[in-house]
Amino acid sequence: MNTIRHDWTRDEIRAIHNLALPDLIFQAQIIHREFHEPDEVQLCRLLSIKTGGCPEDCAYCPQSAHYETSVSRESLLNTAAVLQAANRARAEGATRFCMGAAWRQAPQGKEFESVLEMVRGVSALDLEVCCTLGMLTAEQAVQLKDAGLTAYNHNLDSSPEFYPKIITTRIYADRLQTLSHVRQAGITVCCGGILGMGETEEDRIGLLQQLASLDPHPESVPINMLVRAAGTPLEHAATIDTLVMVRVIAAARILMPKSRVRLAAGRQQMSPEAVTLCFLAGANSIFGGEKLLTTPNPPADADQRLLKDLGMKALPRA
């Protein structure tokens, strides 16, 4: 199972995903320990640099202009405010600082120049720099790389079959094209999905196949649990069992051995024991800070206490 492959079939992935849970976690731990330090967790911080008013209709997102939610539109932050947040994140142990903007497509002109300035400033703080700005042109990807961008986040969200039930304002191929532009520019890829949107187990297996088919695999694979937002079409979605998260994380660890699997949105809804199971299943990165874009997240001191209780530690700065 420790061979790096990009040709996993759905039958193979299903067989891994559906192993008895102790066997699945055991296999994931073997892989995890071969490619990663088992007691290290990368701390990341995610800041919304432009909030609300997005023209996309993603059914899970309170920032969509299609829905009446509690999220207000806010214009692009200034660079000084972003660097202040980055410095705070660095002081609290983060080694990656991520900036997200509610755009369908990264704009041209003054706003994009401001983002490039932010990337240069955060990079100078000796932090990994990640952005999620929507779709990118090939030229924009090169500009971000030249500014010092480490990674670009562009999630596939779910399987190709389920995707149109969640988003209609773009197609799956659009997301894959942006990932291609990012790779061609020499930027690492951060790409994962969201669980709990009403998808089936087969959709989760389909998502894993899509991610594991990317060559190379995404360097970061964020696995999110849906945070239900009032006013969105998914505000009444059924809550998924945290063991669903554990299974997907463990399967992702086995399928993509070198990737950093990030336990992302939804930790506020999980018990410390559930988060611990996710670490045992191969997760080795989390987002810190009290908010992920617009959704609640455990505060940094709570994360520090949990890591201490588990005898784990934050990934040191390189």
Side-chain angles (χ1 to χ4, degrees):
M1 283 189 177
N2 60 353
T3 302
I4 306 297
R5 290 177 51 188
H6 306 277
D7 60 349
W8 293 96
T9 68
R10 288 205 181 186
D11 285 344
E12 289 175 313
I13 296 171
R14 191 182 303 107
I16 292 170
H17 178 276
N18 292 341
L19 285 169
L21 193 60
D23 290 338
L24 177 60
I25 291 177
F26 179 69
Q27 293 296 336
Q29 271 286 306
I30 292 173
I31 300 295
H32 188 67
R33 289 167 181 270
E34 180 171 349
F35 291 91
H36 305 272
E37 294 296 328
D39 62 343
E40 286 186 347
V41 176
Q42 184 183 38
L43 303 183
C44 309
R45 188 66 54 87
L46 175 59
L47 175 70
S48 179
I49 60 172
K50 185 270 178 186
T51 304
C54 181
E56 299 274 34
D57 67 353
C58 307
Y60 52 79
C61 186
Q63 299 198 67
S64 171
H66 293 258
Y67 316 126
E68 293 291 332
T69 71
S70 61
V71 175
S72 301
R73 296 190 184 197
E74 298 176 11
S75 57
L76 189 67
L77 293 178
N78 62 56
T79 301
V82 171
L83 294 183
Q84 182 180 24
N87 271 299
R88 179 185 173 190
R90 187 180 189 277
E92 292 177 350
T95 58
R96 175 176 286 204
F97 188 76
C98 309
M99 296 173 280
W103 289 317
R104 179 178 188 272
Q105 166 84 47
Q108 302 287 352
K110 185 178 179 180
E111 286 184 311
F112 190 67
E113 291 298 326
S114 294
V115 172
L116 294 176
E117 182 182 10
M118 295 173 192
V119 171
R120 286 189 285 266
V122 175
S123 179
L125 297 176
D126 193 29
L127 288 167
E128 294 180 11
V129 196
C130 181
C131 281
T132 179
L133 313 170
M135 294 184 288
L136 288 181
T137 66
E139 180 183 3
Q140 286 173 321
V142 170
Q143 289 176 289
L144 286 165
K145 171 65 175 177
D146 291 344
L149 192 72
T150 307
Y152 195 81
N153 168 259
H154 204 59
N155 290 334
L156 293 178
D157 288 346
S158 191
S159 68
E161 297 85 2
F162 188 70
Y163 184 87
K165 299 178 183 177
I166 298 298
I167 302 166
T168 67
T169 47
R170 75 169 96 167
I171 60 175
Y172 214 72
D174 292 332
R175 292 190 181 261
L176 293 172
Q177 183 180 57
T178 288
L179 293 176
S180 176
H181 291 161
V182 168
R183 276 286 179 220
Q184 289 170 10
I187 301 168
T188 65
V189 167
C190 176
C191 185
I194 306 171
L195 310 183
M197 298 188 293
E199 78 283 350
T200 64
E201 180 180 285
E202 193 62 25
D203 289 315
R204 295 190 281 271
I205 290 166
L207 169 65
L208 287 166
Q209 185 188 36
Q210 287 292 315
L211 294 170
S213 295
L214 295 173
D215 189 4
H217 293 146
E219 284 78 4
S220 299
V221 180
I223 305 297
N224 300 271
M225 179 188 287
L226 175 69
V227 178
R228 294 168 293 183
T232 65
L234 294 180
E235 68 172 305
H236 300 301
T239 302
I240 62 166
D241 194 299
T242 52
L243 293 182
V244 171
M245 290 281 288
V246 173
R247 282 193 175 278
V248 171
I249 286 169
R253 168 54 63 224
I254 293 168
L255 298 171
M256 295 169 280
K258 293 184 178 180
S259 301
R260 194 167 292 282
V261 179
R262 183 168 299 125
L263 178 57
R267 284 198 301 121
Q268 186 78 345
Q269 303 158 207
M270 301 172 68
S271 69
E273 292 80 9
V275 173
T276 300
L277 266 179
C278 290
F279 288 149
L280 287 172
N284 60 347
S285 179
I286 57 174
F287 281 116
E290 296 181 0
K291 190 162 64 172
L292 296 183
L293 298 179
T294 62
T295 59
N297 193 56
D301 58 348
D303 289 336
Q304 290 165 2
R305 286 196 301 272
L306 178 60
L307 292 180
K308 182 179 179 181
D309 288 345
L310 297 178
M312 301 177 74
K313 60 189 177 186
L315 177 74
R317 197 167 289 106

